[in-house]
Amino acid sequence: MGDEPLGPGPAMAAYAAPPPRGAAFDAWRTWESRDDAQGVIAAGILAANARNVQPWRFTVDAHAGRIDVYADLTRRQGALDPFDRELYVGLGCALENMVLAARARGHEPELRLLPEPDRPEHAAVLRLLPGEPVPSELYDAIAHRRTNRGPFLRGPLPGPLLDEIAALAGDDPGGPALRWFAGGAERDRVARLLVEATEAVIADEGQSLAGHHWYRGTDREIERRQDGMTVDTQGMPPLMSTLGKLLPAPSRRTADRFWLRNTRSVHVATAAAFGMITVSNADDLTERMRGGRLLQRIHLFATARGLAVGHLNMMTVRADRERELGLPPRFGKALEELVGEPGRQALVTFRIGRPARPAGTSPRRPVATVLGTDAG
Ligand SMILES: Cc1cc2nc3c(=O)[nH]c(=O)nc-3n(C[C@H](O)[C@H](O)[C@H](O)COP(=O)(O)O)c2cc1C
């Protein structure tokens, strides 16, 4: 597929491995079976979210057509996300899927972020007003989207395609925006920094432990927890994935070394371009959720065009850790230089390219598990 033109929707299913059997993957198969509020939540839980912690809870008032979205603070990543940056970006990703699902199923969505400013865990209210069904290629991509950690085919992407993706941000000058690092010294600098930041993360005992906490090494654990990172989503060739599941789960140190090696020789080496979402204040929860919505929109658009996306956030993860521990701001400063624009800050970064092989499916907790009462 390397050189063929990229038209709308080529073979999007070819780059997502079908969900494996088992209740932990049912959410991918059943998400379209309802068109009410619970169906909208079913679309939300398929969104990208850091470490697959699924940091959300929902309540539904079916009569009023109202869904309340809450940050589940029991599912924090700890040292890997000390200020909840990634947690709120993940909530934004879920909200984007929910808005698309609401529209596709004939509701007019009315979204309000942080409805109770003094209670930040109350992330959003989504009202489903009467409307007309609005189908979209982004909606169609929801169940085909995967985070791809495998190799990408070499070669750049066409400039007009990158421009089209950047335009998904819209033209609100105060809103989230996309900055590309697509070639030359800029691209190389991001690649180098991502490797160095990964080295720093695994050298930091607290961050290494926080990552390992979300690793699910056996099918039994996946079925029991229905979250976290799995062998199948590490981007290995299918035979190696199968072998990986037969062997005992790797030690934390072995897993860290594998991850660093892959970051260097696969993730950054084969990326066609790196993208960075910038906002005017990365500490602002509303901006994080708006940035998350853009991130998910980009990922869905890429999926619809047969492209792959891999999230790579070790620079921001380190910058936040530096702030938490009062360390010299090595990555904080590097990010500022990369953004290169006063009044804008890095929120998240990712790589994009043409996938060399399908990406595995990650587990999800079903709607019934994440639906509850507003207990605060
Ligand atoms: C804010 C955010 C940060 C993420 N950071 C990383 C990252 O640094 N490295 C990585 O491999 N995946 C990262 N991911 C991808 C998640 O691990 C992935 O979305 C999750 O495991 C669910 O898998 P799926 O996207 O295939 O559904 C990130 C996702 C989000 C939304």
Side-chain angles (χ1 to χ4, degrees), residues 18 38 53 59 78 158 184 264 339:
Q38 290 205 28
V53 306
T59 61
R264 185 183 288 121
V339 173

Side-chain angles (χ1 to χ4, degrees), residues 169-310:
D171 47 20
D172 172 1
L178 178 64
R179 189 177 179 334
W180 286 121
F181 300 87
E186 266 200 329
R187 186 204 166 285
D188 294 347
R189 175 138 200 254
V190 173
R192 208 170 43 247
L193 282 165
L194 283 168
V195 173
E196 288 170 9
T198 307
E199 285 167 348
V201 168
I202 69 175
D204 179 322
E205 184 88 353
Q207 291 200 310
S208 166
L209 281 165
H212 199 64
H213 180 73
W214 291 96
Y215 188 73
R216 309 289 176 241
T218 64
D219 285 347
R220 244 181 87 159
E221 217 185 345
I222 292 168
E223 280 302 302
R224 192 164 66 83
R225 310 287 291 267
Q226 306 187 317
D227 61 12
M229 310 295 294
T230 67
V231 171
D232 280 335
T233 58
Q234 296 313 304
M236 292 187 283
L239 188 65
M240 264 181 76
S241 271
T242 307
L243 267 176
K245 282 188 284 187
L246 292 175
L247 296 169
S251 71
R252 172 166 63 91
R253 285 296 172 209
T254 304
D256 280 350
R257 276 196 298 272
F258 169 86
W259 176 38
L260 175 61
R261 206 171 48 239
N262 264 17
T263 301
R264 185 183 288 121
S265 61
V266 177
H267 302 163
V268 307
T270 69
F274 299 107
M276 175 188 283
I277 292 184
T278 67
V279 292
S280 54
N281 178 3
D283 288 325
D284 183 277
L285 304 186
T286 301
E287 294 202 30
R288 289 175 181 173
M289 286 190 275
R290 291 182 70 194
R293 287 191 64 189
L294 174 60
L295 180 66
Q296 181 74 4
R297 207 176 310 142
I298 290 168
H299 204 157
L300 293 171
F301 181 90
T303 305
R305 301 299 155 107
L307 299 174
V309 165

Side-chain angles (χ1 to χ4, degrees), residues 89 92 96 147 175 327 357:
V89 172
E96 180 65 13
T147 294
L327 301 171
R357 56 174 170 253

Side-chain angles (χ1 to χ4, degrees), residues 22-355:
F25 302 94
D26 278 349
W28 296 94
R29 284 182 282 263
T30 60
W31 73 288
E32 275 190 303
S33 62
R34 300 177 66 139
D35 61 8
D36 57 3
Q38 290 205 28
V40 170
I41 296 172
I45 66 175
L46 298 185
N49 66 97
R51 297 257 155 192
N52 199 22
V53 306
Q54 304 166 42
W56 41 62
R57 281 188 310 113
F58 305 88
T59 61
V60 170
D61 180 339
H63 190 66
R66 171 183 169 135
I67 302 170
D68 287 84
V69 183
Y70 296 89
D72 184 342
L73 300 180
T74 66
R75 304 184 70 82
R76 284 176 150 145
Q77 288 188 79
L80 278 174
D81 190 21
F83 302 116
D84 296 329
R85 167 203 298 262
E86 297 197 339
L87 190 147
Y88 279 90
V89 172
L91 290 172
C93 292
L95 289 170
E96 180 65 13
N97 272 12
M98 292 169 76
V99 165
L100 289 167
R103 287 212 183 99
R105 295 152 188 213
H107 311 284
E108 177 57 37
E110 186 190 272
L111 179 64
R112 194 144 68 93
L113 300 177
L114 291 183
E116 298 178 77
D118 297 340
R119 200 181 158 213
E121 64 272 28
H122 193 183
V125 178
L126 181 64
R127 284 180 188 280
L128 305 177
L129 307 175
E132 291 297 317
V134 182
S136 66
E137 64 172 349
L138 301 186
Y139 172 77
D140 292 340
I142 284 177
H144 300 288
R145 185 207 57 81
R146 303 279 186 280
T147 294
N148 193 314
R149 299 188 182 85
F152 294 171
L153 302 176
R154 303 271 171 171
L157 295 177
L161 179 64
L162 295 181
D163 292 343
E164 204 183 340
I165 296 174
L168 293 169
D171 47 20
D172 172 1
L178 178 64
R179 189 177 179 334
W180 286 121
F181 300 87
E186 266 200 329
R187 186 204 166 285
D188 294 347
R189 175 138 200 254
V190 173
R192 208 170 43 247
L193 282 165
L194 283 168
V195 173
E196 288 170 9
T198 307
E199 285 167 348
V201 168
I202 69 175
D204 179 322
E205 184 88 353
Q207 291 200 310
S208 166
L209 281 165
H212 199 64
H213 180 73
W214 291 96
Y215 188 73
R216 309 289 176 241
T218 64
D219 285 347
R220 244 181 87 159
E221 217 185 345
I222 292 168
E223 280 302 302
R224 192 164 66 83
R225 310 287 291 267
Q226 306 187 317
D227 61 12
M229 310 295 294
T230 67
V231 171
D232 280 335
T233 58
Q234 296 313 304
M236 292 187 283
L239 188 65
M240 264 181 76
S241 271
T242 307
L243 267 176
K245 282 188 284 187
L246 292 175
L247 296 169
S251 71
R252 172 166 63 91
R253 285 296 172 209
T254 304
D256 280 350
R257 276 196 298 272
F258 169 86
W259 176 38
L260 175 61
R261 206 171 48 239
N262 264 17
T263 301
R264 185 183 288 121
S265 61
V266 177
H267 302 163
V268 307
T270 69
F274 299 107
M276 175 188 283
I277 292 184
T278 67
V279 292
S280 54
N281 178 3
D283 288 325
D284 183 277
L285 304 186
T286 301
E287 294 202 30
R288 289 175 181 173
M289 286 190 275
R290 291 182 70 194
R293 287 191 64 189
L294 174 60
L295 180 66
Q296 181 74 4
R297 207 176 310 142
I298 290 168
H299 204 157
L300 293 171
F301 181 90
T303 305
R305 301 299 155 107
L307 299 174
V309 165
H311 303 265
L312 290 173
N313 281 298
M314 290 311 116
M315 289 188 290
T316 43
V317 160
R318 272 319 286 175
D320 284 351
R321 183 70 161 162
E322 291 166 350
R323 263 210 300 165
E324 181 197 12
L325 300 181
L327 301 171
R330 176 179 168 206
F331 290 97
K333 233 172 142 337
L335 282 167
E336 244 176 68
E337 286 166 14
L338 289 174
V339 173
E341 212 184 318
R344 304 288 302 176
Q345 296 178 336
L347 182 67
V348 284
T349 45
F350 62 89
R351 69 180 182 130
I352 194 165
R354 294 183 173 90

